[in-house]
PDB file of all heavy atoms in Angstrom:
ATOM      1  N   VAL A   1    -142.017  30.195 111.316  1.00 98.00           N
ATOM      2  CA  VAL A   1    -142.396  28.803 111.562  1.00 98.00           C
ATOM      3  C   VAL A   1    -141.263  27.865 111.144  1.00 98.00           C
ATOM      4  O   VAL A   1    -140.849  26.989 111.899  1.00 98.00           O
ATOM      5  CB  VAL A   1    -143.677  28.443 110.798  1.00 98.00           C
ATOM      6  CG1 VAL A   1    -144.002  26.966 110.965  1.00 98.00           C
ATOM      7  CG2 VAL A   1    -144.844  29.309 111.253  1.00 98.00           C
ATOM      8  N   ALA A   2    -140.774  28.058 109.923  1.00 98.00           N
ATOM      9  CA  ALA A   2    -139.719  27.187 109.413  1.00 98.00           C
ATOM     10  C   ALA A   2    -139.018  27.885 108.262  1.00 98.00           C
ATOM     11  O   ALA A   2    -139.613  28.722 107.577  1.00 98.00           O
ATOM     12  CB  ALA A   2    -140.281  25.854 108.952  1.00 98.00           C
ATOM     13  N   VAL A   3    -137.751  27.535 108.064  1.00 98.00           N
ATOM     14  CA  VAL A   3    -136.981  28.124 106.981  1.00 98.00           C
ATOM     15  C   VAL A   3    -136.030  27.066 106.432  1.00 98.00           C
ATOM     16  O   VAL A   3    -135.570  26.181 107.171  1.00 98.00           O
ATOM     17  CB  VAL A   3    -136.203  29.365 107.465  1.00 98.00           C
ATOM     18  CG1 VAL A   3    -135.191  28.999 108.531  1.00 98.00           C
ATOM     19  CG2 VAL A   3    -135.556  30.095 106.298  1.00 98.00           C
ATOM     20  N   THR A   4    -135.765  27.158 105.127  1.00 97.00           N
ATOM     21  CA  THR A   4    -134.794  26.270 104.494  1.00 97.00           C
ATOM     22  C   THR A   4    -133.887  27.095 103.591  1.00 97.00           C
ATOM     23  O   THR A   4    -134.368  27.949 102.843  1.00 97.00           O
ATOM     24  CB  THR A   4    -135.485  25.144 103.707  1.00 97.00           C
ATOM     25  OG1 THR A   4    -134.486  24.320 103.075  1.00 97.00           O
ATOM     26  CG2 THR A   4    -136.433  25.678 102.648  1.00 97.00           C
ATOM     27  N   THR A   5    -132.594  26.841 103.669  1.00 95.00           N
ATOM     28  CA  THR A   5    -131.636  27.599 102.878  1.00 95.00           C
ATOM     29  C   THR A   5    -131.386  26.930 101.533  1.00 95.00           C
ATOM     30  O   THR A   5    -131.788  25.773 101.304  1.00 95.00           O
ATOM     31  CB  THR A   5    -130.299  27.715 103.618  1.00 95.00           C
ATOM     32  OG1 THR A   5    -129.698  26.405 103.679  1.00 95.00           O
ATOM     33  CG2 THR A   5    -130.483  28.252 105.025  1.00 95.00           C
ATOM     34  N   ASN A   6    -130.710  27.638 100.661  1.00 93.00           N
ATOM     35  CA  ASN A   6    -130.348  27.063  99.357  1.00 93.00           C
ATOM     36  C   ASN A   6    -129.458  25.836  99.526  1.00 93.00           C
ATOM     37  O   ASN A   6    -129.472  24.932  98.686  1.00 93.00           O
ATOM     38  CB  ASN A   6    -129.634  28.092  98.499  1.00 93.00           C
ATOM     39  CG  ASN A   6    -130.562  29.171  97.990  1.00 93.00           C
ATOM     40  OD1 ASN A   6    -131.764  29.140  98.229  1.00 93.00           O
ATOM     41  ND2 ASN A   6    -130.003  30.148  97.298  1.00 93.00           N
ATOM     42  N   GLY A   7    -128.728  25.795 100.634  1.00 91.00           N
ATOM     43  CA  GLY A   7    -127.854  24.655 100.894  1.00 91.00           C
ATOM     44  C   GLY A   7    -128.554  23.461 101.507  1.00 91.00           C
ATOM     45  O   GLY A   7    -127.943  22.404 101.686  1.00 91.00           O
ATOM     46  N   GLY A   8    -129.835  23.642 101.827  1.00 91.00           N
ATOM     47  CA  GLY A   8    -130.608  22.525 102.356  1.00 91.00           C
ATOM     48  C   GLY A   8    -130.757  22.504 103.864  1.00 91.00           C
ATOM     49  O   GLY A   8    -131.423  21.627 104.408  1.00 91.00           O
ATOM     50  N   SER A   9    -130.158  23.462 104.547  1.00 96.00           N
ATOM     51  CA  SER A   9    -130.339  23.525 106.003  1.00 96.00           C
ATOM     52  C   SER A   9    -131.758  23.959 106.333  1.00 96.00           C
ATOM     53  O   SER A   9    -132.372  24.714 105.592  1.00 96.00           O
ATOM     54  CB  SER A   9    -129.348  24.509 106.614  1.00 96.00           C
ATOM     55  OG  SER A   9    -128.022  24.119 106.359  1.00 96.00           O
ATOM     56  N   THR A  10    -132.262  23.453 107.442  1.00 97.00           N
ATOM     57  CA  THR A  10    -133.607  23.819 107.878  1.00 97.00           C
ATOM     58  C   THR A  10    -133.582  24.254 109.332  1.00 97.00           C
ATOM     59  O   THR A  10    -132.707  23.843 110.105  1.00 97.00           O
ATOM     60  CB  THR A  10    -134.591  22.652 107.723  1.00 97.00           C
ATOM     61  OG1 THR A  10    -134.123  21.539 108.492  1.00 97.00           O
ATOM     62  CG2 THR A  10    -134.725  22.234 106.273  1.00 97.00           C
ATOM     63  N   ASN A  11    -134.559  25.057 109.682  1.00 98.00           N
ATOM     64  CA  ASN A  11    -134.694  25.502 111.057  1.00 98.00           C
ATOM     65  C   ASN A  11    -136.178  25.669 111.343  1.00 98.00           C
ATOM     66  O   ASN A  11    -136.932  26.122 110.470  1.00 98.00           O
ATOM     67  CB  ASN A  11    -133.956  26.825 111.281  1.00 98.00           C
ATOM     68  CG  ASN A  11    -133.724  27.108 112.744  1.00 98.00           C
ATOM     69  OD1 ASN A  11    -133.705  26.185 113.559  1.00 98.00           O
ATOM     70  ND2 ASN A  11    -133.523  28.363 113.078  1.00 98.00           N
ATOM     71  N   TYR A  12    -136.571  25.299 112.556  1.00 98.00           N
ATOM     72  CA  TYR A  12    -137.979  25.321 112.926  1.00 98.00           C
ATOM     73  C   TYR A  12    -138.188  26.062 114.232  1.00 98.00           C
ATOM     74  O   TYR A  12    -137.344  26.017 115.129  1.00 98.00           O
ATOM     75  CB  TYR A  12    -138.504  23.891 113.103  1.00 98.00           C
ATOM     76  CG  TYR A  12    -138.515  23.061 111.852  1.00 98.00           C
ATOM     77  CD1 TYR A  12    -137.418  22.283 111.505  1.00 98.00           C
ATOM     78  CD2 TYR A  12    -139.639  23.043 111.025  1.00 98.00           C
ATOM     79  CE1 TYR A  12    -137.422  21.510 110.357  1.00 98.00           C
ATOM     80  CE2 TYR A  12    -139.656  22.270 109.871  1.00 98.00           C
ATOM     81  CZ  TYR A  12    -138.544  21.509 109.542  1.00 98.00           C
ATOM     82  OH  TYR A  12    -138.560  20.747 108.402  1.00 98.00           O
ATOM     83  N   ALA A  13    -139.344  26.694 114.339  1.00 98.00           N
ATOM     84  CA  ALA A  13    -139.770  27.214 115.626  1.00 98.00           C
ATOM     85  C   ALA A  13    -140.048  26.036 116.549  1.00 98.00           C
ATOM     86  O   ALA A  13    -140.387  24.937 116.087  1.00 98.00           O
ATOM     87  CB  ALA A  13    -141.029  28.054 115.455  1.00 98.00           C
ATOM     88  N   GLU A  14    -139.905  26.270 117.843  1.00 98.00           N
ATOM     89  CA  GLU A  14    -140.133  25.183 118.801  1.00 98.00           C
ATOM     90  C   GLU A  14    -141.534  24.594 118.643  1.00 98.00           C
ATOM     91  O   GLU A  14    -141.721  23.381 118.763  1.00 98.00           O
ATOM     92  CB  GLU A  14    -139.925  25.706 120.219  1.00 98.00           C
ATOM     93  CG  GLU A  14    -138.472  25.888 120.623  1.00 98.00           C
ATOM     94  CD  GLU A  14    -137.691  24.585 120.600  1.00 98.00           C
ATOM     95  OE1 GLU A  14    -138.267  23.549 121.011  1.00 98.00           O
ATOM     96  OE2 GLU A  14    -136.522  24.603 120.177  1.00 98.00           O
ATOM     97  N   SER A  15    -142.495  25.440 118.368  1.00 97.00           N
ATOM     98  CA  SER A  15    -143.881  24.983 118.246  1.00 97.00           C
ATOM     99  C   SER A  15    -144.097  24.091 117.038  1.00 97.00           C
ATOM    100  O   SER A  15    -145.081  23.357 116.966  1.00 97.00           O
ATOM    101  CB  SER A  15    -144.813  26.188 118.164  1.00 97.00           C
ATOM    102  OG  SER A  15    -144.496  26.985 117.036  1.00 97.00           O
ATOM    103  N   ALA A  16    -143.175  24.143 116.071  1.00 97.00           N
ATOM    104  CA  ALA A  16    -143.317  23.381 114.838  1.00 97.00           C
ATOM    105  C   ALA A  16    -142.498  22.084 114.830  1.00 97.00           C
ATOM    106  O   ALA A  16    -142.787  21.172 114.049  1.00 97.00           O
ATOM    107  CB  ALA A  16    -142.901  24.237 113.639  1.00 97.00           C
ATOM    108  N   LYS A  17    -141.529  22.013 115.680  1.00 97.00           N
ATOM    109  CA  LYS A  17    -140.635  20.844 115.688  1.00 97.00           C
ATOM    110  C   LYS A  17    -141.413  19.552 115.965  1.00 97.00           C
ATOM    111  O   LYS A  17    -142.220  19.485 116.879  1.00 97.00           O
ATOM    112  CB  LYS A  17    -139.538  21.037 116.733  1.00 97.00           C
ATOM    113  CG  LYS A  17    -138.504  22.068 116.344  1.00 97.00           C
ATOM    114  CD  LYS A  17    -137.432  22.201 117.417  1.00 97.00           C
ATOM    115  CE  LYS A  17    -136.398  23.245 117.003  1.00 97.00           C
ATOM    116  NZ  LYS A  17    -135.364  23.432 118.057  1.00 97.00           N
ATOM    117  N   GLY A  18    -141.149  18.565 115.143  1.00 97.00           N
ATOM    118  CA  GLY A  18    -141.787  17.269 115.302  1.00 97.00           C
ATOM    119  C   GLY A  18    -143.151  17.148 114.651  1.00 97.00           C
ATOM    120  O   GLY A  18    -143.686  16.041 114.533  1.00 97.00           O
ATOM    121  N   ARG A  19    -143.717  18.277 114.237  1.00 98.00           N
ATOM    122  CA  ARG A  19    -145.041  18.245 113.605  1.00 98.00           C
ATOM    123  C   ARG A  19    -145.020  18.776 112.176  1.00 98.00           C
ATOM    124  O   ARG A  19    -145.782  18.311 111.329  1.00 98.00           O
ATOM    125  CB  ARG A  19    -146.042  19.060 114.427  1.00 98.00           C
ATOM    126  CG  ARG A  19    -146.237  18.568 115.846  1.00 98.00           C
ATOM    127  CD  ARG A  19    -147.396  19.311 116.528  1.00 98.00           C
ATOM    128  NE  ARG A  19    -147.156  20.747 116.598  1.00 98.00           N
ATOM    129  CZ  ARG A  19    -148.024  21.672 116.184  1.00 98.00           C
ATOM    130  NH1 ARG A  19    -149.177  21.304 115.650  1.00 98.00           N
ATOM    131  NH2 ARG A  19    -147.722  22.966 116.289  1.00 98.00           N
ATOM    132  N   PHE A  20    -144.197  19.775 111.931  1.00 98.00           N
ATOM    133  CA  PHE A  20    -144.148  20.417 110.617  1.00 98.00           C
ATOM    134  C   PHE A  20    -142.845  20.046 109.911  1.00 98.00           C
ATOM    135  O   PHE A  20    -141.801  19.886 110.558  1.00 98.00           O
ATOM    136  CB  PHE A  20    -144.202  21.937 110.753  1.00 98.00           C
ATOM    137  CG  PHE A  20    -145.494  22.479 111.311  1.00 98.00           C
ATOM    138  CD1 PHE A  20    -146.534  21.656 111.696  1.00 98.00           C
ATOM    139  CD2 PHE A  20    -145.654  23.856 111.444  1.00 98.00           C
ATOM    140  CE1 PHE A  20    -147.714  22.169 112.207  1.00 98.00           C
ATOM    141  CE2 PHE A  20    -146.830  24.385 111.947  1.00 98.00           C
ATOM    142  CZ  PHE A  20    -147.851  23.539 112.343  1.00 98.00           C
ATOM    143  N   THR A  21    -142.917  19.954 108.593  1.00 98.00           N
ATOM    144  CA  THR A  21    -141.725  19.689 107.785  1.00 98.00           C
ATOM    145  C   THR A  21    -141.697  20.644 106.606  1.00 98.00           C
ATOM    146  O   THR A  21    -142.666  20.710 105.842  1.00 98.00           O
ATOM    147  CB  THR A  21    -141.709  18.248 107.273  1.00 98.00           C
ATOM    148  OG1 THR A  21    -141.768  17.342 108.374  1.00 98.00           O
ATOM    149  CG2 THR A  21    -140.430  17.978 106.488  1.00 98.00           C
ATOM    150  N   ILE A  22    -140.592  21.347 106.465  1.00 98.00           N
ATOM    151  CA  ILE A  22    -140.412  22.227 105.317  1.00 98.00           C
ATOM    152  C   ILE A  22    -139.563  21.507 104.285  1.00 98.00           C
ATOM    153  O   ILE A  22    -138.602  20.805 104.628  1.00 98.00           O
ATOM    154  CB  ILE A  22    -139.782  23.576 105.734  1.00 98.00           C
ATOM    155  CG1 ILE A  22    -139.821  24.574 104.575  1.00 98.00           C
ATOM    156  CG2 ILE A  22    -138.366  23.396 106.281  1.00 98.00           C
ATOM    157  CD1 ILE A  22    -139.466  26.000 104.978  1.00 98.00           C
ATOM    158  N   SER A  23    -139.936  21.646 103.030  1.00 97.00           N
ATOM    159  CA  SER A  23    -139.172  21.034 101.951  1.00 97.00           C
ATOM    160  C   SER A  23    -139.207  21.949 100.733  1.00 97.00           C
ATOM    161  O   SER A  23    -140.032  22.875 100.664  1.00 97.00           O
ATOM    162  CB  SER A  23    -139.723  19.648 101.607  1.00 97.00           C
ATOM    163  OG  SER A  23    -141.064  19.726 101.176  1.00 97.00           O
ATOM    164  N   ARG A  24    -138.344  21.649  99.806  1.00 95.00           N
ATOM    165  CA  ARG A  24    -138.193  22.557  98.673  1.00 95.00           C
ATOM    166  C   ARG A  24    -137.927  21.764  97.404  1.00 95.00           C
ATOM    167  O   ARG A  24    -137.162  20.797  97.424  1.00 95.00           O
ATOM    168  CB  ARG A  24    -137.033  23.516  98.966  1.00 95.00           C
ATOM    169  CG  ARG A  24    -136.907  24.713  98.070  1.00 95.00           C
ATOM    170  CD  ARG A  24    -135.923  25.678  98.706  1.00 95.00           C
ATOM    171  NE  ARG A  24    -135.515  26.718  97.789  1.00 95.00           N
ATOM    172  CZ  ARG A  24    -134.609  27.649  98.073  1.00 95.00           C
ATOM    173  NH1 ARG A  24    -134.037  27.661  99.256  1.00 95.00           N
ATOM    174  NH2 ARG A  24    -134.293  28.560  97.181  1.00 95.00           N
ATOM    175  N   ASP A  25    -138.577  22.162  96.341  1.00 92.00           N
ATOM    176  CA  ASP A  25    -138.343  21.596  95.014  1.00 92.00           C
ATOM    177  C   ASP A  25    -137.706  22.700  94.189  1.00 92.00           C
ATOM    178  O   ASP A  25    -138.395  23.580  93.677  1.00 92.00           O
ATOM    179  CB  ASP A  25    -139.659  21.121  94.410  1.00 92.00           C
ATOM    180  CG  ASP A  25    -139.465  20.441  93.059  1.00 92.00           C
ATOM    181  OD1 ASP A  25    -138.445  20.694  92.393  1.00 92.00           O
ATOM    182  OD2 ASP A  25    -140.355  19.679  92.679  1.00 92.00           O
ATOM    183  N   ASN A  26    -136.402  22.660  94.071  1.00 87.00           N
ATOM    184  CA  ASN A  26    -135.702  23.739  93.379  1.00 87.00           C
ATOM    185  C   ASN A  26    -136.032  23.781  91.895  1.00 87.00           C
ATOM    186  O   ASN A  26    -136.051  24.857  91.287  1.00 87.00           O
ATOM    187  CB  ASN A  26    -134.196  23.599  93.580  1.00 87.00           C
ATOM    188  CG  ASN A  26    -133.782  23.876  95.005  1.00 87.00           C
ATOM    189  OD1 ASN A  26    -134.310  24.770  95.652  1.00 87.00           O
ATOM    190  ND2 ASN A  26    -132.828  23.106  95.512  1.00 87.00           N
ATOM    191  N   ALA A  27    -136.304  22.621  91.318  1.00 89.00           N
ATOM    192  CA  ALA A  27    -136.639  22.592  89.894  1.00 89.00           C
ATOM    193  C   ALA A  27    -137.944  23.313  89.607  1.00 89.00           C
ATOM    194  O   ALA A  27    -138.128  23.884  88.531  1.00 89.00           O
ATOM    195  CB  ALA A  27    -136.715  21.147  89.414  1.00 89.00           C
ATOM    196  N   GLU A  28    -138.850  23.284  90.593  1.00 90.00           N
ATOM    197  CA  GLU A  28    -140.162  23.925  90.435  1.00 90.00           C
ATOM    198  C   GLU A  28    -140.243  25.251  91.179  1.00 90.00           C
ATOM    199  O   GLU A  28    -141.308  25.874  91.193  1.00 90.00           O
ATOM    200  CB  GLU A  28    -141.264  22.990  90.948  1.00 90.00           C
ATOM    201  CG  GLU A  28    -141.342  21.665  90.193  1.00 90.00           C
ATOM    202  CD  GLU A  28    -141.786  21.850  88.755  1.00 90.00           C
ATOM    203  OE1 GLU A  28    -142.518  22.830  88.464  1.00 90.00           O
ATOM    204  OE2 GLU A  28    -141.405  21.019  87.904  1.00 90.00           O
ATOM    205  N   ASN A  29    -139.121  25.665  91.796  1.00 93.00           N
ATOM    206  CA  ASN A  29    -139.105  26.926  92.571  1.00 93.00           C
ATOM    207  C   ASN A  29    -140.243  26.959  93.588  1.00 93.00           C
ATOM    208  O   ASN A  29    -140.933  27.973  93.744  1.00 93.00           O
ATOM    209  CB  ASN A  29    -139.192  28.135  91.635  1.00 93.00           C
ATOM    210  CG  ASN A  29    -138.007  28.227  90.709  1.00 93.00           C
ATOM    211  OD1 ASN A  29    -136.872  27.973  91.114  1.00 93.00           O
ATOM    212  ND2 ASN A  29    -138.259  28.560  89.454  1.00 93.00           N
ATOM    213  N   THR A  30    -140.439  25.839  94.252  1.00 96.00           N
ATOM    214  CA  THR A  30    -141.554  25.684  95.164  1.00 96.00           C
ATOM    215  C   THR A  30    -141.058  25.241  96.538  1.00 96.00           C
ATOM    216  O   THR A  30    -140.169  24.400  96.632  1.00 96.00           O
ATOM    217  CB  THR A  30    -142.558  24.650  94.631  1.00 96.00           C
ATOM    218  OG1 THR A  30    -143.020  25.081  93.341  1.00 96.00           O
ATOM    219  CG2 THR A  30    -143.749  24.498  95.558  1.00 96.00           C
ATOM    220  N   VAL A  31    -141.647  25.817  97.566  1.00 97.00           N
ATOM    221  CA  VAL A  31    -141.378  25.387  98.928  1.00 97.00           C
ATOM    222  C   VAL A  31    -142.692  24.915  99.546  1.00 97.00           C
ATOM    223  O   VAL A  31    -143.762  25.475  99.259  1.00 97.00           O
ATOM    224  CB  VAL A  31    -140.739  26.525  99.767  1.00 97.00           C
ATOM    225  CG1 VAL A  31    -141.678  27.705  99.926  1.00 97.00           C
ATOM    226  CG2 VAL A  31    -140.253  26.010 101.105  1.00 97.00           C
ATOM    227  N   TYR A  32    -142.590  23.864 100.323  1.00 98.00           N
ATOM    228  CA  TYR A  32    -143.766  23.255 100.941  1.00 98.00           C
ATOM    229  C   TYR A  32    -143.648  23.307 102.465  1.00 98.00           C
ATOM    230  O   TYR A  32    -142.553  23.336 103.014  1.00 98.00           O
ATOM    231  CB  TYR A  32    -143.889  21.792 100.524  1.00 98.00           C
ATOM    232  CG  TYR A  32    -143.968  21.574  99.041  1.00 98.00           C
ATOM    233  CD1 TYR A  32    -142.841  21.240  98.305  1.00 98.00           C
ATOM    234  CD2 TYR A  32    -145.184  21.689  98.368  1.00 98.00           C
ATOM    235  CE1 TYR A  32    -142.899  21.033  96.943  1.00 98.00           C
ATOM    236  CE2 TYR A  32    -145.255  21.483  96.993  1.00 98.00           C
ATOM    237  CZ  TYR A  32    -144.119  21.155  96.295  1.00 98.00           C
ATOM    238  OH  TYR A  32    -144.188  20.951  94.938  1.00 98.00           O
ATOM    239  N   LEU A  33    -144.803  23.291 103.100  1.00 98.00           N
ATOM    240  CA  LEU A  33    -144.852  23.124 104.549  1.00 98.00           C
ATOM    241  C   LEU A  33    -145.891  22.045 104.841  1.00 98.00           C
ATOM    242  O   LEU A  33    -147.086  22.276 104.677  1.00 98.00           O
ATOM    243  CB  LEU A  33    -145.204  24.420 105.269  1.00 98.00           C
ATOM    244  CG  LEU A  33    -145.162  24.339 106.792  1.00 98.00           C
ATOM    245  CD1 LEU A  33    -143.719  24.145 107.278  1.00 98.00           C
ATOM    246  CD2 LEU A  33    -145.768  25.591 107.435  1.00 98.00           C
ATOM    247  N   GLN A  34    -145.415  20.880 105.223  1.00 98.00           N
ATOM    248  CA  GLN A  34    -146.292  19.798 105.628  1.00 98.00           C
ATOM    249  C   GLN A  34    -146.574  19.944 107.113  1.00 98.00           C
ATOM    250  O   GLN A  34    -145.652  19.950 107.927  1.00 98.00           O
ATOM    251  CB  GLN A  34    -145.647  18.438 105.358  1.00 98.00           C
ATOM    252  CG  GLN A  34    -146.477  17.248 105.810  1.00 98.00           C
ATOM    253  CD  GLN A  34    -147.752  17.098 105.017  1.00 98.00           C
ATOM    254  OE1 GLN A  34    -147.756  17.213 103.792  1.00 98.00           O
ATOM    255  NE2 GLN A  34    -148.857  16.820 105.710  1.00 98.00           N
ATOM    256  N   MET A  35    -147.834  20.085 107.448  1.00 98.00           N
ATOM    257  CA  MET A  35    -148.229  20.301 108.833  1.00 98.00           C
ATOM    258  C   MET A  35    -149.084  19.136 109.305  1.00 98.00           C
ATOM    259  O   MET A  35    -150.155  18.884 108.740  1.00 98.00           O
ATOM    260  CB  MET A  35    -149.006  21.611 108.968  1.00 98.00           C
ATOM    261  CG  MET A  35    -148.252  22.825 108.442  1.00 98.00           C
ATOM    262  SD  MET A  35    -149.090  24.382 108.753  1.00 98.00           S
ATOM    263  CE  MET A  35    -150.529  24.201 107.703  1.00 98.00           C
ATOM    264  N   ASN A  36    -148.603  18.425 110.298  1.00 98.00           N
ATOM    265  CA  ASN A  36    -149.314  17.283 110.868  1.00 98.00           C
ATOM    266  C   ASN A  36    -149.686  17.572 112.323  1.00 98.00           C
ATOM    267  O   ASN A  36    -149.144  18.487 112.949  1.00 98.00           O
ATOM    268  CB  ASN A  36    -148.437  16.039 110.799  1.00 98.00           C
ATOM    269  CG  ASN A  36    -148.071  15.656 109.379  1.00 98.00           C
ATOM    270  OD1 ASN A  36    -148.838  15.849 108.444  1.00 98.00           O
ATOM    271  ND2 ASN A  36    -146.879  15.084 109.216  1.00 98.00           N
ATOM    272  N   SER A  37    -150.583  16.780 112.841  1.00 98.00           N
ATOM    273  CA  SER A  37    -151.018  16.919 114.240  1.00 98.00           C
ATOM    274  C   SER A  37    -151.376  18.358 114.563  1.00 98.00           C
ATOM    275  O   SER A  37    -150.936  18.921 115.578  1.00 98.00           O
ATOM    276  CB  SER A  37    -149.909  16.414 115.180  1.00 98.00           C
ATOM    277  OG  SER A  37    -149.576  15.080 114.898  1.00 98.00           O
ATOM    278  N   LEU A  38    -152.160  18.948 113.711  1.00 98.00           N
ATOM    279  CA  LEU A  38    -152.494  20.363 113.877  1.00 98.00           C
ATOM    280  C   LEU A  38    -153.315  20.609 115.138  1.00 98.00           C
ATOM    281  O   LEU A  38    -154.134  19.761 115.545  1.00 98.00           O
ATOM    282  CB  LEU A  38    -153.241  20.874 112.654  1.00 98.00           C
ATOM    283  CG  LEU A  38    -152.334  21.144 111.448  1.00 98.00           C
ATOM    284  CD1 LEU A  38    -153.142  21.213 110.160  1.00 98.00           C
ATOM    285  CD2 LEU A  38    -151.561  22.440 111.659  1.00 98.00           C
ATOM    286  N   LYS A  39    -153.087  21.771 115.739  1.00 98.00           N
ATOM    287  CA  LYS A  39    -153.762  22.168 116.971  1.00 98.00           C
ATOM    288  C   LYS A  39    -154.518  23.470 116.722  1.00 98.00           C
ATOM    289  O   LYS A  39    -154.149  24.242 115.826  1.00 98.00           O
ATOM    290  CB  LYS A  39    -152.724  22.399 118.076  1.00 98.00           C
ATOM    291  CG  LYS A  39    -151.796  21.230 118.323  1.00 98.00           C
ATOM    292  CD  LYS A  39    -150.718  21.605 119.337  1.00 98.00           C
ATOM    293  CE  LYS A  39    -149.740  20.462 119.564  1.00 98.00           C
ATOM    294  NZ  LYS A  39    -148.678  20.829 120.534  1.00 98.00           N
ATOM    295  N   PRO A  40    -155.533  23.750 117.512  1.00 97.00           N
ATOM    296  CA  PRO A  40    -156.251  25.023 117.344  1.00 97.00           C
ATOM    297  C   PRO A  40    -155.322  26.236 117.413  1.00 97.00           C
ATOM    298  O   PRO A  40    -155.556  27.228 116.714  1.00 97.00           O
ATOM    299  CB  PRO A  40    -157.247  25.003 118.504  1.00 97.00           C
ATOM    300  CG  PRO A  40    -157.518  23.554 118.727  1.00 97.00           C
ATOM    301  CD  PRO A  40    -156.197  22.875 118.493  1.00 97.00           C
ATOM    302  N   GLU A  41    -154.269  26.152 118.197  1.00 96.00           N
ATOM    303  CA  GLU A  41    -153.342  27.280 118.312  1.00 96.00           C
ATOM    304  C   GLU A  41    -152.478  27.464 117.069  1.00 96.00           C
ATOM    305  O   GLU A  41    -151.734  28.450 116.973  1.00 96.00           O
ATOM    306  CB  GLU A  41    -152.447  27.139 119.554  1.00 96.00           C
ATOM    307  CG  GLU A  41    -151.772  25.795 119.686  1.00 96.00           C
ATOM    308  CD  GLU A  41    -152.527  24.853 120.609  1.00 96.00           C
ATOM    309  OE1 GLU A  41    -153.775  24.775 120.502  1.00 96.00           O
ATOM    310  OE2 GLU A  41    -151.851  24.173 121.417  1.00 96.00           O
ATOM    311  N   ASP A  42    -152.562  26.553 116.121  1.00 98.00           N
ATOM    312  CA  ASP A  42    -151.885  26.746 114.836  1.00 98.00           C
ATOM    313  C   ASP A  42    -152.694  27.629 113.884  1.00 98.00           C
ATOM    314  O   ASP A  42    -152.213  27.978 112.806  1.00 98.00           O
ATOM    315  CB  ASP A  42    -151.626  25.394 114.159  1.00 98.00           C
ATOM    316  CG  ASP A  42    -150.647  24.528 114.923  1.00 98.00           C
ATOM    317  OD1 ASP A  42    -149.635  25.067 115.407  1.00 98.00           O
ATOM    318  OD2 ASP A  42    -150.908  23.313 115.040  1.00 98.00           O
TER     319      ASP A  42
END
């Protein structure tokens, strides 16, 4: 669906572009996926 590198680069599947956002909190060793405009096919 989405990936983020240690350098901060991100990449998304076509189905996720414009709706999903991946982010990372390195201090908390946590990665997030914000999903908006969700569809049944998600």
Side-chain angles (χ1 to χ4, degrees):
V1 175
V3 63
T4 178
T5 68
N6 288 357
S9 300
T10 59
N11 197 23
Y12 295 91
E14 284 298 321
S15 60
K17 288 181 180 178
R19 300 188 300 129
F20 295 1
T21 302
I22 190 169
S23 61
R24 193 167 167 184
D25 184 337
N26 291 321
E28 299 293 332
N29 297 320
T30 302
V31 64
Y32 303 97
L33 185 68
Q34 177 67 44
M35 304 186 293
N36 299 327
S37 302
L38 283 162
K39 305 174 182 179
E41 50 263 44
D42 294 318

